[in-house]
Amino acid sequence: MLDEKKVSFSGVQPSGNLTLGNYLGAIRNFPEFSEKYKCFYCVVDEHAVTVRQDPAELRRRTYETLAVYIACGLDPEKNTLYIQSHVPAHAELAWILDCYTMFGELSRMTQFKDKSAKHADNINAGLFTYPVLMAADILLYQSDVVPIGVDQKQHVELARNIADRFNQQFPGTFTVPEPVIPHTGSRIMSLQDPLKKMSKSDENENAVVRILDDRDAVIRKFRRAVTDSGSEIRASVDKPGITNLITIYSCVTGRSQADIEREFDGRGYGEFKQAVGEACADLLAPVQARYRELLADKAYLESVMKNGAGEAAYYARKTLSKVRRKIGFVNL
Ligand code: TYM
């Protein structure tokens, strides 16, 4: 715990245009922590370079991701919003934690297995040790809670194990963090293959709704969404396509699954898909309007980055110097 408040930490990679999955599973939930917690929300550009990025695009997306944070309701006055590479303590702590993480643990990370299959020509060491950098992000701020979608749960569990291992040798060093995963929306699926997670890097644009897609694109993508055989609007394991749409509609409208099934009883897939598309477009419209204003003001975004980095570095330094002292590094 820092000061008197508990701490919330989360991050998003600026590695592609953010998706409805990123929004419903994570970013939308960040602002509700702002009152009760001291909040750090980071744009994790160091994570993004574990796969090849076009430098100009990475730079542009870093600004865009920060603008999306603010447009989604994160007030820079109430939250520390910053860019990971502006605070070198992340990379420094990651090196130390590398030495407290086992090869076997990292080999079991499902995201490493997926990403190394996808980028078989570039299975670099960073891709392998990525979860340690993520543990450093979290532990550096003595975070109590980490709001995430379900795909990041294994990484937060690893961060807990690393913290426990370190604390065993050096008691009281790190707060052991808890993942916070929303009841609905923690795993939004692809609109073209509902057995696969909706992912920023999907090559099929119809599979992914982007936070910044215009109204027509959002509605068109939902209209083209793959659904299952039959015509009933009912969530079940043998109907992954319609189940995903019901989940999205439930997240967007705040209504229960049962309520949605009742409303659309006897109505066709076409009508339901149209309703989901319109509801999503309505939800995203104000975020997009605010985003456009923010992106037009680069100087403002840079001032947020600077303030955020200064504040984050202050807290990060406290933990890092404690760690350095405990493990026997000479502090000058
Ligand atoms: P990233 O950038 O892939 O995703 C950002 C957040 O969005 C969630 N998410 C989803 N939720 C529901 N359905 C989906 N289809 C979906 N896709 C993504 C993710 O779970 C995540 O919460 N390694 C992290 C970034 C990170 C981080 C951290 C997160 C770096 N350091 C420290 C928390 C704490 C990542 O790649 O997220």
Side-chain angles (χ1 to χ4, degrees):
M1 212 195 296
L2 302 170
D3 304 334
E4 71 290 355
K5 272 186 170 177
K6 287 195 168 193
V7 176
S8 170
F9 183 98
S10 200
V12 174
Q13 290 195 57
S15 54
N17 291 329
L18 301 185
T19 71
L20 187 64
N22 297 131
Y23 184 64
L24 298 178
I27 304 170
R28 181 168 85 148
N29 310 317
F30 293 169
E32 75 194 45
F33 290 85
S34 304
E35 295 303 326
K36 234 175 104 195
Y37 292 82
K38 166 92 189 119
C39 294
F40 296 87
Y41 296 118
C42 183
V43 178
V44 292
D45 53 350
E46 290 172 337
H47 279 90
V49 295
T50 53
V51 302
R52 295 285 174 258
Q53 302 288 340
D54 175 77
E57 244 175 57
L58 177 61
R59 202 167 294 121
R60 178 172 58 76
R61 287 198 171 121
T62 301
Y63 283 90
E64 289 173 358
T65 307
L66 180 67
V68 167
Y69 273 174
I70 303 171
C72 289
L74 286 176
D75 178 350
E77 301 292 320
K78 292 193 185 150
N79 303 271
T80 303
L81 308 181
Y82 70 104
I83 314 302
Q84 186 182 32
S85 68
H86 291 166
V87 181
H90 288 245
E92 262 181 272
L93 182 63
W95 172 255
I96 295 170
L97 298 183
D98 271 336
C99 305
Y100 286 80
T101 309
M102 300 302 135
F103 183 88
E105 284 177 307
L106 292 177
S107 317
R108 286 192 289 276
M109 295 292 114
T110 53
Q111 197 170 69
F112 170 69
K113 292 186 210 164
D114 293 348
K115 284 204 175 172
S116 43
K118 199 164 164 196
H119 303 278
D121 56 337
N122 182 24
I123 307 177
N124 61 70
L127 198 62
F128 189 64
T129 58
Y130 167 119
V132 187
L133 179 59
M134 182 161 157
D137 299 340
I138 297 167
L139 302 183
L140 204 44
Y141 299 93
Q142 305 293 352
S143 309
D144 297 277
V145 295
V146 184
I148 42 162
V150 86
D151 64 324
Q152 296 300 320
K153 187 166 177 248
Q154 196 186 30
H155 291 160
V156 178
E157 278 162 3
L158 178 71
R160 290 170 58 87
N161 292 341
I162 297 172
D164 278 334
R165 185 172 299 136
F166 201 93
N167 285 346
Q168 241 165 36
Q169 194 178 348
F170 304 109
T173 310
F174 293 122
T175 301
V176 180
E178 291 284 344
V180 179
I181 296 170
H183 289 298
T184 17
S186 70
R187 189 168 167 80
I188 301 296
M189 309 309 275
S190 152
L191 296 188
Q192 291 299 310
D193 177 358
L195 298 176
K196 237 176 61 183
K197 173 187 95 157
M198 184 181 282
S199 159
K200 276 181 217 128
S201 57
D202 201 311
E203 275 148 25
N204 182 352
E205 258 315 300
N206 284 325
V208 192
V209 173
R210 311 273 175 189
I211 296 179
L212 301 172
D213 275 346
D214 64 37
R215 185 177 184 83
D216 287 349
V218 173
I219 293 172
R220 187 180 62 245
K221 287 178 183 181
F222 277 107
R223 228 188 278 129
R224 290 186 185 158
V226 167
T227 34
D228 321 278
S229 56
S231 59
E232 223 185 330
I233 316 281
R234 186 176 44 79
S236 73
V237 274
D238 58 333
K239 285 169 155 287
I242 207 71
T243 302
N244 187 36
L245 297 185
I246 292 175
T247 301
I248 293 172
Y249 197 57
S250 168
C251 277
V252 167
T253 59
R255 291 168 50 198
S256 72
Q257 186 181 302
D259 197 19
I260 294 166
E261 289 175 349
R262 215 172 302 117
E263 182 190 340
F264 285 91
D265 185 30
R267 293 157 78 180
Y269 282 168
E271 210 181 321
F272 182 54
K273 288 186 196 176
Q274 181 72 22
V276 183
E278 284 177 9
C280 267
D282 289 346
L283 180 77
L284 296 175
V287 172
Q288 295 174 354
R290 180 80 184 106
Y291 166 85
R292 278 191 291 272
E293 281 170 18
L294 287 158
L295 206 64
D297 193 349
K298 226 173 150 183
Y300 171 70
L301 292 175
E302 284 171 357
S303 75
V304 172
M305 284 180 194
K306 271 201 190 113
N307 288 339
E311 202 172 309
Y314 167 79
Y315 289 102
R317 218 174 293 125
K318 284 198 198 180
T319 301
L320 191 64
S321 67
K322 176 159 102 171
V323 168
R324 290 177 52 94
R325 196 171 358 95
K326 290 202 181 221
I327 62 173
F329 287 175
V330 174
N331 273 337
L332 285 180

